[in-house]
Amino acid sequence: MNEPSLRGSLASFRLPDVLTFLASTRKSGTLTLTNGSNEATVYFDAGAVVYAGSNQETLRLGAVLLRKKHISAAQRDAIDDLMKTEGGRFGQLAVNQGLLTDEQLQDFLKVQVSEILYDCFVWPGGTFVFIDDTELPPYAVTISVDLANLIMEGARRIAEWEECVRLLPDSTTVFRVVSNPETEKITLTIDEWKILFLINGRRSLAELPPDADDDPLHVYRVVYGLFANKLIEVVTRIPSPDDTGGTRPVTALMDETMRQKPATFSADSTVREVGDDTNLLVSVEAKLSYKDMVKPTIAQLTIVSGEDTGLMFPLTEAEYLIGRQRDNPISLADLGVSGHHIRIYRGPDGYAIEDLKSRNGTWLNGARTFHALLRNGDQIRIGATELRYEILYDGGTSPAFPVEPPAS
């Protein structure tokens, strides 16, 4: 292996400066950027970027195509399955499936390379190593990226990122939606609603970008807008994943464990791109109200096994926390249930369930789940308690029978 001809710290030498140097000196070789567990590799030919790769799942070509609304989640998953069974590269398989043309593949590869570098631009630190060796991976499709424009955009993003970091609390901060944000009057973009739905009083600021499957800069900008407009607030006491102090472990079922991502949304972001910090506030172009985004579902939970068998809980509000502590709207005496075990909230397609980092996990229809849309007849198990979810009214049809709201 060749010895590095250039190496250093990204805290001392900013990435735009490193790229500018390599371009101006017309270097050919491989630049490896590392920050913690994140790694990116950029290939140069006579000062031009011809390819880049990253070990981050959100920067795979399939993830980029999904974010750009060019393919659906089902199409991405189908191609991933093909890659596992038959081999091949995602881009070429997408072309073979008729989802991309060769020209579109080239364009989206440029977008992917740009996003890989944009992500590196806002790293808080890390290292770089340059080796005078441009041996591309056998699967690489060479492209030509306009490095000057990419560096200018990267510098702009650095400035915005630093502004976000300055205005927001640190990355370990946990937010929750304010108690009465007058949701009927709120209008946000679909991207802003997507992130608001993920704020649950448990996720830290650092955990929001991967859970939203979005780049940190965009998520931080939206969070600042929600925070500045007093739609979310800081949780002053951050509870531990199991804050009851006495949750009893239960034996997990030997079923397939499913890690389900948060619900996906469509339509492009309408967050403004302007030169001052007003671009960090909620977009003035936002037109979607809570009523536009959320199906007015009415449902109920019935305990079908456990200590409280037969108890029924109507679901008519926007959100419910379920756990052992008494401050939960639905409190259970089950010793296998954590203090705040799950969150059930009304989303774009009806009620969804989310595990709140519980000790014993959450099981949906016999498989472990972390986040999922609930469907009529679903069976939920937490601790030794099993609940059945039933939809009484889904916003598109008349209720199966009149539903009385819970007594206040």
Side-chain angles (χ1 to χ4, degrees):
M1 182 177 178
N2 294 342
E3 286 295 316
S5 59
L6 191 67
R7 65 167 53 191
S9 164
L10 290 171
S12 301
F13 298 94
R14 305 299 292 268
L15 182 55
D17 298 329
V18 176
L19 295 177
T20 300
F21 171 78
L22 295 174
S24 62
T25 55
R26 297 181 60 79
K27 297 286 285 184
S28 294
T30 304
L31 176 68
T32 301
L33 307 165
T34 307
N35 178 44
S37 61
N38 296 334
E39 183 174 292
T41 308
V42 188
Y43 298 87
F44 286 81
D45 182 22
V49 173
V50 294
Y51 187 73
S54 170
N55 67 346
Q56 294 187 67
E57 190 71 18
T58 56
L59 294 172
R60 290 181 56 228
L61 181 60
V64 171
L65 289 168
L66 186 61
R67 280 197 298 276
K68 298 300 180 183
K69 318 300 186 289
H70 194 83
I71 62 173
S72 67
Q75 290 169 329
R76 178 203 57 191
D77 293 343
I79 295 177
D80 281 342
D81 290 341
L82 273 177
M83 290 173 65
K84 292 174 184 175
T85 57
E86 301 179 11
R89 301 298 299 171
F90 191 99
Q92 192 55 55
L93 289 172
V95 171
N96 296 344
Q97 294 287 314
L99 301 176
L100 291 175
T101 65
D102 288 324
E103 292 77 15
Q104 288 173 325
L105 174 59
Q106 289 286 324
D107 290 339
F108 277 112
L109 285 171
K110 292 178 183 179
V111 172
Q112 181 192 19
V113 168
S114 299
E115 289 201 6
I116 288 170
L117 284 168
Y118 292 152
D119 178 70
C120 298
F121 279 141
V122 298
W123 285 356
T127 60
F128 66 89
V129 174
F130 185 82
I131 296 174
D132 296 308
D133 179 7
T134 319
E135 186 176 345
L136 287 167
Y139 52 78
V141 178
T142 57
I143 56 175
S144 178
V145 176
D146 188 331
L147 192 55
N149 286 338
L150 190 146
I151 290 172
M152 289 180 64
E153 172 65 12
R156 183 190 67 80
R157 291 191 179 210
I158 289 174
E160 286 199 9
W161 175 257
E162 290 175 344
E163 185 70 356
C164 284
V165 171
R166 182 182 70 82
L167 293 169
L168 283 169
D170 69 73
S171 61
T172 63
T173 300
V174 173
F175 291 97
R176 65 185 172 201
V177 179
V178 300
S179 300
N180 295 296
E182 298 185 80
T183 52
E184 298 299 319
K185 299 179 181 179
I186 298 171
T187 57
L188 304 173
T189 68
I190 201 161
D191 283 348
E192 290 158 356
W193 277 115
K194 169 185 173 181
I195 292 166
L196 184 64
F197 283 134
L198 289 173
I199 293 171
N200 63 1
R202 288 295 187 278
R203 281 189 179 87
S204 68
L205 182 57
E207 290 172 324
L208 282 169
D211 285 352
D213 194 21
D214 211 334
D215 71 86
L217 175 60
H218 177 242
V219 173
Y220 273 47
R221 292 171 76 235
V222 171
V223 170
Y224 175 71
L226 298 171
F227 184 54
N229 282 276
K230 296 181 172 58
L231 300 180
I232 60 175
E233 61 188 5
V234 173
V235 176
T236 53
R237 183 185 76 88
I238 302 175
S240 64
D242 174 21
D243 50 13
T244 64
T247 301
R248 184 173 63 196
V250 297
T251 303
L253 297 178
M254 296 301 290
D255 297 300
E256 176 188 5
T257 298
M258 296 189 303
R259 181 174 292 276
Q260 290 161 288
K261 292 227 175 181
T264 55
F265 298 75
S266 58
D268 291 326
S269 168
T270 54
V271 176
R272 291 176 295 159
E273 302 286 349
V274 293
D276 56 41
D277 64 4
T278 58
N279 73 326
L280 300 177
L281 299 175
V282 173
S283 172
V284 296
E285 298 176 21
K287 300 182 186 301
L288 296 171
S289 68
Y290 186 79
K291 283 185 176 180
D292 295 324
M293 281 296 299
V294 176
K295 184 187 292 186
T297 304
I298 298 174
Q300 69 182 21
L301 285 175
T302 304
I303 298 180
V304 294
S305 72
E307 281 190 42
D308 299 313
T309 298
L311 280 183
M312 184 182 297
F313 305 96
L315 303 180
T316 60
E317 301 298 325
E319 179 179 270
Y320 294 87
L321 296 183
I322 301 178
R324 282 184 62 207
Q325 290 194 359
R326 292 182 180 179
D327 60 352
N328 291 286
I330 299 176
S331 179
L332 302 174
D334 187 340
L335 292 177
V337 171
S338 294
H340 298 93
H341 197 110
I342 57 173
R343 170 193 182 218
I344 291 179
Y345 68 95
R346 191 185 285 144
D349 298 308
Y351 280 106
I353 186 171
E354 180 179 9
D355 183 86
L356 297 177
K357 300 180 181 177
S358 64
R359 177 176 178 178
N360 290 322
T362 300
W363 302 80
L364 183 65
N365 300 324
R368 189 169 186 178
T369 188
F370 295 84
H371 194 293
L373 177 68
L374 289 172
R375 304 187 185 280
N376 190 46
D378 277 349
Q379 299 285 325
I380 301 163
R381 181 171 67 81
I382 56 176
T385 301
E386 292 194 15
L387 306 99
R388 182 174 64 249
Y389 173 80
E390 295 172 291
I391 297 174
L392 307 179
Y393 173 65
D394 67 359
T397 59
S398 299
F401 49 89
V403 180
E404 296 293 331
S408 57

